[in-house]
Amino acid sequence: MRCYFLILTVAAFFSDAMTAVAQSYDYQNTRLKDDRRVELFLKHLTLDEKISWLSTRMSTPRLGMPALSCYEGLHGLALGGPGRNNGMKTVDGREVPNDLPTTIFPQSYGMGCTWDCEALRRMGDIEAEEVRWYVQRPEARRKGLVVYAPNADLARDPRWGRTEESFGEDPCLTAQLSVALVRGLQGDHPRYWKTAALMKHFLANSNEDGRDSTSSNFDERLFREYYSYPFYKGITEGGSRAFMASYNAWNGTPMCIHPCLPEIARGEWGNNGIICTDGSALTLLINAHKAFPTRAEGVAAIVKNTVGQILDRSADEAREALQRGLITEADIDRAIRGNIYVALRLGMLDDPEQTQNPYAAIGKDTTQLPPFEREEVKQFVREVTAKSIVLLKNEAQTLPVNPQKVKRIAVTGPYADKIIYDWYSGTPPYEVTILQALREAGRQYGVEILYAPDNQMGRAEDIARKADMVLVCTGNHPYGTKPDWKFCPVPSDGREANDRHSLLLPDEDEVRRLQAINPNTVLVLISSFPYAINWSQEHLPAILHVTHCSQEQGHGVADVLFGRMNPAGRTTQTWVRDILDLPHIMDYDIRHGRTYMYFHGQPLYPFGYGLSYTRFEYGQARVVRQNQQQVVVSVPVTNVGGCDGDEVVQLYASYPGSPVEHPCRQLRAFERVTIPRGEAREVILTIDRQDLSHWDAALHRFVPETGPVRLEIGASSVDIRTVVDL
């Protein structure tokens, strides 16, 4: 969706404050139950004010409630960026989007590759701190406390243009990372939220071409077990009380008017907060889906479906719908009640002079450094960037770089000295490119760094001949080289509104030329999604994958290349060898050969795969506790290699002999654990019993397995080291 957020001027802010009557209101009584406070606030609103709440501008100055709006926040707070088109400024000598700085992390796809829930939680906490810091400064112009994150959609197909926004193809991994990010964004206070995490896009939104009118078709079992699972966990485990309905339809019914929103998301899961449309979804409901002849009828259907925020013009249409009897004031009350509840949890319905909200003081101490300038934040971004890197190949211990053997490194490629920020990035306070970090490391280790931005006139080939190692830094462009909404000039590029039409790496021919000159050529693939890099996998000695956007991209890559950090990132999608391995992009039934759970071919890189500079051995797994709620498994893992490192221990379930069709293997638990060399750790993995059941459409509930369940523990979806049967 396009970003819809409100930027209030200082003058407007003080005007609102002057308008507000300096008095206390009954809904400000924090001793009352939340539902009662929401009802009291609702009673104070006029009809026009209620209609104004059917938007992202949740504000009632007359009652002393300040403006409350929203921001994008997939991998850092986005107060500006390529999608905003608001001019440019210079950061460290480079042109970047002109806006206020915020900490920028690797893309969601890269954060997924960490398989590290604590890292996601901390990222969310840092982001929420910056939101409050900007909103509550004395000179604050911005009032957003609702953050559009995480993206809980599943990347079932690598051609999906928004793969960069997702944590991957697996519902268990995506759910747990989403839960962690929600918890980080909202905080752990029992009454107040630091920010409100609004998940997107519900549901099954993984094609961009035609997304405004297409239908994602699949049965109720896939709805429960696959597509909705991360949203379900984000609400019931993470505590999110907000999500965005997607543009597409499910089985023919557009999501913003689909009955599953009130019946399941609200009725079963307990989302008593915000449900909003995507940007311009009302217009598309009429013009693209052809669901209604008039906008007033569209608004009426959306409001009756308890969707309380409409992200395009709708106030006049809502009044028309009321006049025509298509909706009632009570319908609007039901729709916006969730918006008010979110405002309450953010502390906006408290008396500002008496609030107990611990987050209300952030940013008011002008002597404190802003979060994005704090050294511990910068170091965390550097660390998590290195954690996100996946070592795809490392033949003959090419990496880490050995300064005794490698005295000169040739660096080339379009992203060697450039960090590209995607459509929903903010502006970083600084950035460190790969070239900058390599030069820094080169001075430390006594390695000379040669650089050519490209191979025009053979200049990359020239430095390749002089070097002991060549690093080629290439991949996709996150928004197609220029911010045209419907245009990606390279078929293998993709982003919002544009699916990919190739999996081939455009620069692989250049890589081939350099490898022919210098066999010690390493590919640093900087991309938002997988590529079918078959030639590179066969011929290059080493390959790294890292995503775009991190302000510490250079340090993260250099730390891995020189061995300061031992890579332990893992793939979050099945990397196929050929685009012909993929079903039709509009086939949403994943049982037709999609994802690692149903793919029967030979992948280039399987789900959960990633190499290390050390080796780990697994002992025999055992069940240490099981009851009606949980199964707890323990497995000893020993670092038998030559350096400290992280291992991502993965537990999969299979169901041999079951009369019910199941995936060949399903991720059910995982843990990223640090193990010093020569030491062992007892890794504990906990599985929710419901995750060892299946949805029975006839009974309309989850049914436990009656046959044997096999728990398979290993280093990837195809590298199983130990098995235990229940």
Side-chain angles (χ1 to χ4, degrees):
M1 50 99 29
R2 293 180 184 267
C3 185
Y4 286 80
F5 59 88
L6 183 65
I7 302 176
L8 295 182
T9 62
V10 174
F13 174 77
F14 283 111
S15 175
D16 285 353
M18 294 293 291
T19 303
V21 179
Q23 67 180 73
S24 296
Y25 296 93
D26 49 7
Y27 64 80
Q28 294 176 331
N29 185 352
T30 57
R31 293 189 297 272
L32 298 176
K33 290 184 177 181
D34 290 348
D35 287 348
R36 178 59 179 157
R37 294 181 67 193
V38 169
E39 289 303 319
L40 288 171
F41 182 83
L42 196 57
K43 287 181 179 179
H44 282 281
L45 298 180
T46 67
L47 180 56
D48 279 345
E49 288 169 338
K50 291 176 181 180
I51 290 172
S52 75
W53 273 74
L54 288 171
S55 71
T56 58
R57 191 182 189 274
M58 301 184 291
S59 173
T60 308
R62 179 180 63 85
L63 298 177
M65 183 186 163
L68 176 61
S69 189
C70 55
Y71 297 126
E72 296 286 353
L74 292 176
H75 53 93
L77 174 61
L79 297 183
R84 257 56 75 199
N85 297 319
N86 56 351
M88 306 293 285
K89 73 175 183 181
T90 300
V91 173
D92 291 343
R94 290 174 174 78
E95 291 268 297
V96 296
N98 181 27
D99 213 303
L100 302 176
T102 56
T103 303
I104 304 300
F105 296 85
Q107 290 175 302
S108 296
Y109 194 71
M111 293 300 294
C113 291
T114 67
W115 289 59
D116 189 330
C117 291
E118 174 55 24
L120 268 295
R121 187 207 63 78
R122 190 174 175 197
M123 182 186 86
D125 181 64
I126 291 169
E127 186 174 340
E129 185 85 5
E130 293 187 359
V131 171
R132 285 277 181 177
W133 191 89
Y134 270 115
V135 164
Q136 296 172 170
R137 298 285 291 171
E139 72 279 11
R141 296 181 297 117
R142 298 170 179 272
K143 299 298 166 187
L145 287 176
V146 178
V147 178
Y148 288 166
N151 187 327
D153 289 314
L154 292 165
R156 66 184 175 101
D157 193 309
R159 292 169 294 186
W160 179 34
R162 297 180 84 167
T163 294
E164 65 192 32
E165 298 183 26
S166 171
F167 294 133
E169 72 184 20
D170 180 75
C172 172
L173 176 65
T174 300
Q176 291 308 309
L177 296 178
S178 295
V179 165
L181 182 52
V182 168
R183 288 175 174 170
L185 286 167
Q186 298 194 166
D188 55 8
H189 194 274
R191 176 187 291 271
Y192 295 102
W193 292 337
K194 202 170 189 179
T195 61
L198 188 149
M199 299 181 291
K200 55 183 194 175
H201 312 80
F202 190 85
L203 174 84
N205 174 72
S206 55
N207 66 280
E208 292 303 295
D209 297 341
R211 64 181 179 165
D212 55 5
S213 58
T214 55
S215 179
S216 305
N217 299 330
F218 50 88
D219 60 23
E220 186 181 6
R221 185 177 174 194
L222 282 179
F223 172 89
R224 296 283 184 168
E225 295 182 16
Y226 188 72
Y227 289 107
S228 76
Y229 183 86
F231 293 91
Y232 162 69
K233 285 291 186 179
I235 293 169
T236 59
E237 251 183 53
S240 170
R241 290 296 180 267
F243 67 73
M244 177 182 292
S246 55
Y247 287 124
N248 57 283
W250 172 35
N251 293 345
T253 302
M255 287 310 304
C256 63
I257 60 171
H258 203 289
C260 71
L261 303 187
E263 293 173 6
I264 298 175
R266 291 202 189 279
E268 294 183 28
W269 302 344
N271 180 18
N272 61 334
I274 295 171
I275 299 180
C276 68
T277 72
D278 207 333
S280 299
L282 169 60
T283 300
L284 297 174
L285 188 64
I286 310 306
N287 297 340
H289 282 291
K290 310 293 185 185
F292 302 98
T294 67
R295 291 174 62 89
E297 290 168 277
V299 166
I302 290 170
V303 169
K304 283 189 172 182
N305 208 42
T306 71
V307 175
Q309 289 188 355
I310 302 173
L311 271 64
D312 52 338
R313 179 176 56 81
S314 64
D316 290 343
E317 290 84 350
R319 292 185 181 91
E320 180 184 342
L322 283 164
Q323 292 168 358
R324 292 171 57 183
L326 302 175
I327 53 171
T328 65
E329 186 172 353
D331 292 325
I332 296 177
D333 289 351
R334 279 190 294 272
I336 66 172
R337 185 174 283 112
N339 305 355
I340 299 169
Y341 174 76
V342 169
L344 180 147
R345 293 301 302 269
L346 291 168
M348 308 306 286
L349 267 61
D350 288 5
D351 183 333
E353 301 301 321
Q354 300 180 26
T355 184
Q356 300 299 307
N357 181 359
Y359 307 122
I362 296 172
K364 294 184 178 179
D365 183 351
T366 57
T367 66
Q368 287 187 336
L369 282 176
F372 48 82
E373 290 185 8
R374 297 170 192 168
E375 192 58 33
E376 66 271 18
V377 171
K378 298 176 184 179
Q379 287 302 313
F380 174 67
V381 182
R382 178 173 181 165
E383 176 187 333
V384 82
T385 302
K387 280 188 168 187
S388 75
I389 293 173
V390 183
L391 181 60
L392 295 172
K393 184 179 181 182
N394 193 28
E395 188 177 81
Q397 296 182 316
T398 299
L399 299 175
V401 172
N402 183 347
Q404 302 303 314
K405 297 179 180 179
V406 178
K407 297 295 185 180
R408 186 176 288 172
I409 299 176
V411 182
T412 188
Y415 305 129
D417 196 30
K418 182 184 297 184
I419 297 175
I420 305 296
Y421 299 98
D422 65 23
W423 202 249
Y424 289 124
S425 282
T427 300
Y430 69 95
E431 59 180 27
V432 181
T433 69
I434 293 173
L435 180 63
Q436 289 173 313
L438 289 175
R439 284 173 172 165
E440 179 184 313
R443 289 190 292 270
Q444 178 183 353
Y445 294 105
V447 176
E448 183 181 359
I449 304 299
L450 309 177
Y451 172 62
D454 51 46
N455 199 28
Q456 290 184 24
M457 299 176 292
R459 53 189 175 183
E461 296 175 45
D462 291 341
I463 63 171
R465 290 186 177 93
K466 303 174 184 177
D468 301 309
M469 176 181 285
V470 179
L471 298 180
V472 185
C473 305
T474 190
N476 74 295
H477 195 291
Y479 58 91
T481 72
K482 56 181 179 179
D484 290 348
W485 189 246
K486 285 285 188 179
F487 179 66
C488 273
V490 180
S492 59
D493 279 354
R495 62 167 176 82
E496 180 169 359
N498 295 270
D499 285 320
R500 304 170 71 201
H501 298 279
S502 171
L503 301 183
L504 300 179
L505 180 64
D507 282 347
E508 200 162 36
D509 274 352
E510 291 288 355
V511 179
R512 291 174 61 194
R513 289 191 63 83
L514 296 174
Q515 188 270 347
I517 294 168
N518 189 329
N520 201 25
T521 294
V522 174
L523 173 61
V524 181
L525 181 61
I526 306 166
S527 73
S528 310
F529 26 62
Y531 281 91
I533 47 173
N534 298 291
W535 183 92
S536 294
Q537 171 61 24
E538 182 178 353
H539 294 92
L540 300 182
I543 304 171
L544 290 177
H545 175 257
V546 63
T547 60
H548 291 282
C549 294
S550 171
Q551 65 191 39
E552 285 280 355
Q553 183 181 88
H555 279 143
V557 171
D559 287 347
V560 168
L561 287 172
F562 280 89
R564 181 179 176 273
M565 290 283 289
N566 189 345
R570 297 293 187 266
T571 57
T572 64
Q573 277 184 297
T574 302
W575 289 47
V576 298
R577 293 177 179 273
D578 196 302
I579 198 168
L580 297 180
D581 292 337
L582 299 171
H584 192 291
I585 194 168
M586 291 308 301
D587 186 351
Y588 272 79
D589 188 338
I590 63 169
R591 290 168 293 218
H592 296 160
R594 202 183 288 283
T595 80
Y596 77 97
M597 293 186 286
Y598 293 100
F599 181 64
H600 297 293
Q602 183 66 35
L604 181 62
Y605 306 114
F607 174 83
Y609 168 83
L611 302 176
S612 172
Y613 295 154
T614 190
R615 292 188 304 111
F616 298 94
E617 288 185 353
Y618 287 59
Q620 179 58 50
R622 61 190 180 92
V623 176
V624 296
R625 185 173 71 254
Q626 59 176 316
N627 51 40
Q628 292 183 337
Q629 286 75 42
Q630 293 180 330
V631 176
V632 181
V633 176
S634 173
V635 58
V637 181
T638 305
N639 184 342
V640 297
C643 60
D644 301 346
D646 287 5
E647 174 72 335
V648 179
V649 181
Q650 303 164 43
L651 183 151
Y652 297 84
S654 63
Y655 310 90
S658 174
V660 179
E661 181 184 11
H662 284 285
C664 58
R665 187 169 285 147
Q666 291 176 288
L667 183 71
R668 284 296 172 252
F670 60 92
E671 189 72 30
R672 179 166 178 154
V673 58
T674 300
I675 308 177
R677 63 177 178 174
E679 296 189 18
R681 291 287 185 271
E682 199 74 20
V683 180
I684 304 299
L685 300 164
T686 302
I687 311 106
D688 189 324
R689 273 286 185 185
Q690 181 171 296
D691 290 337
L692 299 176
S693 62
H694 66 272
W695 182 260
D696 188 310
L699 297 175
H700 201 68
R701 62 181 174 86
F702 281 97
V703 176
E705 289 300 319
T706 56
V709 177
R710 177 162 294 168
L711 304 181
E712 304 170 332
I713 300 97
S716 82
S717 60
V718 300
D719 185 5
I720 302 302
R721 308 288 185 86
T722 179
V723 174
V724 60
D725 291 325
L726 297 181

